[in-house]
Amino acid sequence: ILLVTAYLVSDRFLKSLLVVGIAAVYFVFGIIHHLEEKNFEAKVVWEYLAISLLSFVVLFSLLVGRI
């Protein structure tokens, strides 16, 4: 739903906020999931951080970067 909203919104600042929100939600819920499953390790943080940053860059370039 957030991804569709980010695509449909025309304001670049709002799109930027939505893209940051998508990446942040993915990171936070991934960490929470591993904490609840009791298999949390430091490498999990790095993996979720890397995927979150990669998704941010891809979504930002696709949704906000275009005019």
Side-chain angles (χ1 to χ4, degrees):
I1 294 174
L2 286 176
L3 190 57
V4 173
T5 305
Y7 182 75
L8 295 176
V9 170
S10 61
D11 183 33
R12 289 176 60 104
F13 179 72
L14 186 54
K15 279 187 180 188
S16 300
L17 285 178
L18 287 169
V19 170
V20 168
I22 290 169
V25 165
Y26 176 79
F27 178 76
V28 169
F29 278 113
I31 299 301
I32 289 171
H33 168 75
H34 284 280
L35 285 171
E36 288 177 349
E37 294 291 319
K38 298 189 183 2
N39 61 353
F40 181 76
E41 298 178 9
K43 72 176 187 174
V44 170
V45 175
W46 291 111
E47 289 174 9
Y48 275 96
L49 184 62
I51 298 299
S52 295
L53 290 175
L54 180 64
S55 65
F56 169 78
V57 169
V58 169
L59 289 174
F60 190 85
S61 64
L62 288 174
L63 297 175
V64 181
R66 65 184 180 97
I67 299 174

